[in-house]
Each structure stands twice: as C-alpha cells, then as structure tokens.
C-alpha cells in the first residue's frame, strides 16, 4: 500500500522512541510530602497510605537522608501536633512541630530545599482550615493566622511556603507579612486551584484533619468548574504567588494545561494521597503494574504542563529516572 506518512516509523525502537520524546522529566522537579509528628522515636505507617510514615523529629533525619540519597532534594512538611485547639495555635507556635522539624532539617541538611504547607486544618480541634464563626470559616480573621504561621515557618528555616487553605486574599496577606519582616526573597507556592476532592481521604486519615462537621466546599473549589480555576490562578499571580499549584493532579490534568496556558509562572501539580492509595491497593491485589502506573501518572502530569510534581512516589520516580525507565 502506498502511504507517505506512517506515524509508526518513529516508534520502531526504544532508542528512537526516546529520541522523539516530547516530555522529559528530571529529579530536580520532584517534591516529597513529609509528615512530621509530635513525640519521640516514632515511625508510624499510615494505614491508608501503605509505605508512607509519620515521623517524629528525631526519626525524620533518616528519611531525609534516604530522600537525599535518591536524589530528591525538596520536601514539603505537614505537621501533626499532639494538641489541637479552636484557633490552631500550634500552627504558629515557635516550638510547634513543623518549626522544630525545620530547625532540625536545616541544621542537618543545609542543602535540602524545605517547603511548608501552610494551613490550619491539622491544628484546629474542629478540623477546618481556619477560624470559625458559627459553622463557617471566617476568611479575614484566618488570614492573620495564616500569615503568622507562614512567617514562623520562614523564621524556623523554611525556604518556601505553600498556603493550602483556599481563603481569599491569603497570598497577598502572607506576601506582605513576609516582606515586612524582611523576607522579600522567600517564594510562595500557592495551592491556587485546589478542588474539594474525595482524593484527600487518606491524607485526612494520616493527619487526623477530617472536619468534625460539614465539609470544605465553602472554601475549596467545586470539581465541576474550570473557568473558576483560571480566576483563582490569575488572582494569586496578581497577589504575588511565584508558583501556582493544581491539586489533585490526575483527575485535573485539563486544569494543569489551562492554567499553564494563561499564566507565565511555573505550574506545580500535587498527586494526592488518594491517587497514591489507589495505585497501592490495585498493585497489592495484582490488578495493575505499580511501576508502570506510577510512571504513566507522572508522565501525564508533566505532559499536561506541570514542571513541578509533588508526589508520595518521589523516591520511586527518582530511581526510575536514574535507571532510564522514565523521563
Ligand atoms: C491541608 C492540605 C490537605 C492536603 C494538602 N494540604 C488536606 C485537605 O485539604 O483536606 C491533601 C494532600 C493529600 O491528599 O495528599 N489543607
């Protein structure tokens, strides 16, 4: 048969397939989410996230060392305090769990890049992401708490802060607070396009941060909306966000592409706990090939337009990249 164009010509060998690859990945773009917990000598496996652990500050360095050895140099800290209260005061306490973890990590791993999740939900007794007024989260009062929290993280050694609460105006509030305190150079990665998602289920289990009543739909986005995600992203860029994040990743690849088309900042995507748990569960049952699934999820995310990837599979991906099996 006469045919001038044959797409299969470029798929004939592994060498050729790699040569014409459109999406290339690098370990430097990986961020590993790390749970740190009050207490001593703790390395608790998270039941809904097999293979992921909560570390006390004294055990955390072992994990940081494993990450560094694997070539994953950036981590995002999530704190799990022993004591929670109405106003989440452990979020901004000088000796809070994240603050102590930062100090220790900074001391022992001066070359690692330390990012913090800035939110109230792990610290409030009611599990909501801010200060309550009746049954609603009071936006503007919460901004003060978030700003205090972000500043205390930076003072404890954070290189970058990442607000995940979805309050209006929080990027600007945090930017102004950091600038006034002389931290003009500290970047903000905003969880700008964050949906009210069932995929956070295992995380809430890990952090004990499920809301004690209601849900997060009055602040996180409705999964039906796409143009609203662009609004959120553009607002945060205007407020001084340096990096915009889309979250979750796999079910929101369209948003990664759209947001990267309309902004000129780097786009991060967070492959969340539910994505991790689904892969683990299917693989444990022999229903899917774990490595190929991890690689395909990562590739799709970068292909969609992300240049930064937050994932619980960071160590595995780094190894697959080293071995030339992805990227
Ligand atoms: C804090 C926060 C959450 C996640 C990241 N930051 C939980 C939530 O919004 O309920 C989820 C991460 C994951 O599921 O892996 N607000």
């Amino acid at each position: 048969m006469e045919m001038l164009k044959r797409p299969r010509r470029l798929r004939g060998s592994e060498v050729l397939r790699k040569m014409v690859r459109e999406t290339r990945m690098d370990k430097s773009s990986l961020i590993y989410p790390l749970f740190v917990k009050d207490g001593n000598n703790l390395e608790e496996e998270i039941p809904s996230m097999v293979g992921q652990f909560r570390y006390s500050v004294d055990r955390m360095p072992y994990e940081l060392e494993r990450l560094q050895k694997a070539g994953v140099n950036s981590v995002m800290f999530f704190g799990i305090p022993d004591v929670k209260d109405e106003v989440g005061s452990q979020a901004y306490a000088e000796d809070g769990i994240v603050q102590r973890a930062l100090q220790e990590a900074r001391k022992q791993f001066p070359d690692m890049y330390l990012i913090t999740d800035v939110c109230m939900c792990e610290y409030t007794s009611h599990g909501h992401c801010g200060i309550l007024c009746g049954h609603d989260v009071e936006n503007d009062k919460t901004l003060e708490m978030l700003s205090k929290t972000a500043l205390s993280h930076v003072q404890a050694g954070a290189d970058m802060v990442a607000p995940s609460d979805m309050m209006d105006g929080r990027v600007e509030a945090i930017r102004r607070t950091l600038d006034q305190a002389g931290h003009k150079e500290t970047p903000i990665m905003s969880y700008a396009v964050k949906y009210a998602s069932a995929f956070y289920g295992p995380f809430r289990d890990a952090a004990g941060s499920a809301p004690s009543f209601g849900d997060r739909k009055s602040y996180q986005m409705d999964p039906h909306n796409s143009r609203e995600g662009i609004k959120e992203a553009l607002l945060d860029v205007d407020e001084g966000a340096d990096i915009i994040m889309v979250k979750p990743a796999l079910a929101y690849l369209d948003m990664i592409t759209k947001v990267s088309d309309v902004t000129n900042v780097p786009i991060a995507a967070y492959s969340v706990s539910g994505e991790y748990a689904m892969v683990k569960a299917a693989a444990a049952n022999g229903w899917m090939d774990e490595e190929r699934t991890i690689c395909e999820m990562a590739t799709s995310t970068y292909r969609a337009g992300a240049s930064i990837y937050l994932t619980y599979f960071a160590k595995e991906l780094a190894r697959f990249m080293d071995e030339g099996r992805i990227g």
Side-chain angles (χ1 to χ4, degrees), residues 78 117 119 121-122 129 164 191 194 199-200 203-204 216 220 247 270 272-273 312:
F78 290 93
D117 179 89
C119 194
C121 65
E122 296 113 83
C129 299
S164 68
Y191 287 71
K194 175 170 175 177
F199 286 92
Y200 309 149
F203 173 96
R204 292 180 188 175
R216 303 209 202 291
Q220 299 180 349
K247 177 180 171 214
Y270 193 150
V272 299
S273 56
Y312 299 98

Side-chain angles (χ1 to χ4, degrees), residues 3 6 8 30-31 51 80 84 108 113 124 137 169 186 192 219-220 235 247 270 276 280 295 298 320:
M3 205 187 317
R6 290 179 180 270
R8 288 185 58 190
L30 296 170
I31 300 175
I80 307 166
K84 307 188 186 219
Q108 293 198 39
Y113 198 80
T124 53
V137 176
T186 306
Y219 38 102
Q220 299 180 349
L235 269 173
K247 177 180 171 214
Y270 193 150
Y276 177 86
K280 281 297 195 186
C295 291
F320 301 152

Side-chain angles (χ1 to χ4, degrees), residues 32-35 43-55 78 80 199-209 270-281 284 290 310-314 316:
Y32 180 70
L34 182 68
F35 296 100
E43 187 171 333
E44 296 173 354
E45 188 161 26
I46 301 161
S48 55
M49 299 176 73
V50 177
Q52 300 298 312
F53 297 81
R54 309 178 189 101
Y55 298 95
F78 290 93
I80 307 166
F199 286 92
Y200 309 149
F203 173 96
R204 292 180 188 175
D205 182 30
S209 64
Y270 193 150
S271 180
V272 299
S273 56
E275 299 177 46
Y276 177 86
M278 288 196 305
V279 175
K280 281 297 195 186
E290 180 166 324
L310 292 105
T311 171
Y312 299 98
F313 287 121
E316 287 83 348

